[in-house]
């Protein structure tokens, strides 16, 4: 495989999958591509996996299915053979040509993290760059990777509902966690690291409100304020109590409530106008935040309005 970037189509070819596996990607750290790909096969093509072009990057793999007696290869020779358990995390250095013997069904999430993203994380916080990640061939019981993986699997299943702010937020969290846990990275305290100034918050909210679909990346909003992505994310949360993607969901709900107080639009029209992918997406998010379905809320609001009238 001549091109770099161990995700999506190239990862599918590495595992000899018939279809391109679902992938989400961000470019929030120095425009470096960080991606997550879900790979699964209940009837795999047997044999040694493919080989990636060597690059200064890592795969962080969350196993979603047991894989007994997994035979791992590096640099053209067998490295180890061990039982792999669902829920464990493994790290692979793509400079070492990691491969494994495919001889049974598999299911995993693979996070592609290039060196440039890790360097960008350090540069944004003014910290020392890490030397390397610990890629010893052992499984890690990593609850944070499991949590991020579970959140992103929802987006992989419903990509039209996964707004870019959400993907950016999760990928930034993954990169920071991996750098700290397996690379010894330490954030350096930033001056003025509190909440956003009122003018910054107003401008950030204006940008978010102007793009209810959430397609605007975190990097673009942070750049508008002259801040790094990581600094902006922390400062926005300090100012509002919510990360940007959650704030946007709540704003969508506020917009939907305003629209539903009107008699005209249907719930499906409200959903699209408020930035949701479809009515079912609208119903799930609205019910989770408000505690009742949009239809029930609208009936109560209309009833209250008629009584007041």
């Amino acid at each position: 495989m001549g091109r770099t970037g161990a995700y999506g189509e190239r990862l599918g070819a590495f595992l000899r999958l018939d279809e391109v596996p679902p992938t989400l990607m961000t470019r929030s750290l120095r425009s470096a591509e960080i991606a997550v790909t879900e790979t699964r096969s209940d009837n795999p093509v047997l044999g040694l996996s493919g080989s990636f072009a060597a690059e200064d990057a890592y795969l962080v793999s969350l196993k979603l299915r047991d894989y007994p007696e997994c035979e791992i290869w590096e640099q053209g020779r067998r490295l180890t053979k061990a039982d792999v358990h669902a829920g464990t995390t493994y790290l692979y250095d793509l400079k070492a040509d990691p491969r494994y013997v495919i001889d049974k069904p598999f299911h995993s999430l693979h996070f592609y993290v290039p060196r440039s993203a890790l360097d960008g994380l350090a540069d944004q916080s003014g910290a020392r760059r890490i030397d390397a990640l610990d890629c010893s061939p052992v499984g890690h019981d990593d609850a944070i990777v499991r949590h991020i993986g579970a959140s992103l699997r929802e987006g992989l299943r419903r990509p039209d509902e996964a707004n870019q702010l959400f993907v950016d937020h999760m990928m930034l969290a993954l990169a920071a966690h991996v750098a700290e846990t397996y690379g010894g990275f330490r954030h350096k305290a930033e001056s003025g690291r509190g909440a956003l100034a009122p003018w910054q918050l107003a401008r950030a909210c204006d940008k978010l409100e102007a793009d209810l679909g959430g397609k605007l990346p975190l990097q673009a909003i942070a750049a508008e304020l002259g801040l790094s992505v990581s600094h902006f994310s922390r400062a926005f949360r300090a100012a509002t109590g919510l990360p940007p993607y959650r704030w946007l969901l709540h704003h969508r709900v506020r917009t939907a409530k305003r629209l539903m107080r009107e008699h005209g639009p249907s719930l499906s029209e409200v959903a699209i106008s408020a930035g949701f992918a479809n009515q079912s997406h609208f119903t799930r998010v609205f019910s989770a935040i408000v505690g009742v379905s949009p239809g029930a809320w609208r009936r109560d609001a209309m009833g209250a309005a008629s009584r007041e009238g």
Side-chain angles (χ1 to χ4, degrees):
M1 302 177 64
R3 292 180 296 166
T4 58
Y7 61 89
E9 181 179 2
R10 292 188 282 281
L11 186 57
F14 172 81
L15 297 171
R16 301 195 179 92
L17 298 177
D18 292 332
E19 299 180 352
V20 177
T23 299
L24 297 171
M25 192 262 288
T26 183
R27 290 189 177 93
S28 283
L29 290 170
R30 290 182 57 183
S31 298
E33 296 178 346
I34 308 174
V36 59
T37 303
E38 184 171 9
T39 60
R40 177 175 185 169
S41 179
D42 297 324
N43 187 27
V45 177
L46 305 183
L48 190 62
S49 69
S51 182
F52 290 112
E55 63 170 313
D56 200 357
Y58 300 90
L59 274 183
V60 179
S61 182
L62 173 63
K63 308 304 182 183
L64 303 176
R65 179 174 184 163
D66 288 344
Y67 199 90
E69 298 184 320
C70 180
E71 185 175 320
I72 300 293
W73 287 52
E74 279 190 359
Q75 297 177 329
R77 60 184 180 83
R78 195 178 88 159
L79 179 67
T80 185
K81 189 173 187 178
D83 292 340
V84 170
H85 301 289
T88 55
T89 295
Y90 288 78
L91 279 75
Y92 305 106
D93 185 346
L94 292 178
K95 295 192 301 295
D97 188 24
R99 307 174 75 180
Y100 81 100
V101 174
I102 303 172
D103 56 5
K104 57 186 73 69
F106 58 83
H107 188 192
S108 299
L109 284 185
H110 301 278
F111 296 91
Y112 169 74
V113 184
R115 159 69 65 178
S116 55
L118 298 175
D119 289 347
L121 186 70
D123 294 347
Q124 284 189 5
S125 68
R128 183 180 66 82
R129 292 182 176 184
I130 65 173
D131 295 326
L133 298 181
D134 177 10
C135 293
S136 53
V138 296
H140 302 276
D141 181 16
D142 193 321
I144 292 178
V145 172
R146 284 198 299 273
H147 169 72
I148 293 173
S151 298
L152 286 168
R153 283 186 71 193
E154 290 297 313
L156 287 162
R157 278 195 287 266
R158 302 185 181 101
D160 56 332
E161 298 178 12
N163 71 66
Q164 192 60 48
L165 289 173
F166 164 75
V167 177
D168 290 352
H169 176 84
M170 288 298 173
M171 295 298 201
L172 186 64
L174 184 280
H177 170 70
V178 167
E180 291 169 3
T181 305
Y182 306 105
F185 172 73
R186 292 293 176 265
H187 277 286
K188 184 177 179 181
E190 296 179 70
S191 59
R193 194 179 157 184
L196 294 174
W199 72 268
Q200 291 176 316
L201 180 60
R203 186 174 295 180
C205 290
D206 284 346
K207 298 289 284 186
L208 291 169
E209 290 172 5
D211 178 41
L212 286 176
K215 294 181 172 59
L216 189 68
L218 271 179
Q219 188 176 35
I221 303 174
E224 180 91 4
L225 305 179
L227 301 175
S228 70
V229 173
S230 54
H231 186 181
F232 168 69
S233 297
R234 288 193 297 269
F236 186 93
R237 187 166 193 162
T240 66
L242 295 169
Y245 85 93
R246 290 291 302 173
W247 187 93
L248 180 62
L249 288 181
H250 282 259
H251 180 68
R252 285 175 176 172
V253 167
R254 290 192 295 271
T255 301
K257 285 180 176 179
R258 176 176 55 79
L259 293 170
M260 285 192 294
R261 289 190 181 98
E262 303 170 2
H263 288 278
S266 65
L267 289 181
S268 61
E269 291 170 332
V270 168
I272 300 303
S273 297
F276 295 95
N278 48 53
Q279 187 173 340
S280 62
H281 181 211
F282 170 42
T283 299
R284 281 196 303 277
V285 173
F286 190 97
S287 301
I289 290 176
V290 180
V292 296
S293 70
W297 187 92
R298 185 177 217 174
R299 285 191 296 273
D300 289 345
M302 291 298 186
S306 64
R307 288 191 296 272
E308 290 173 3

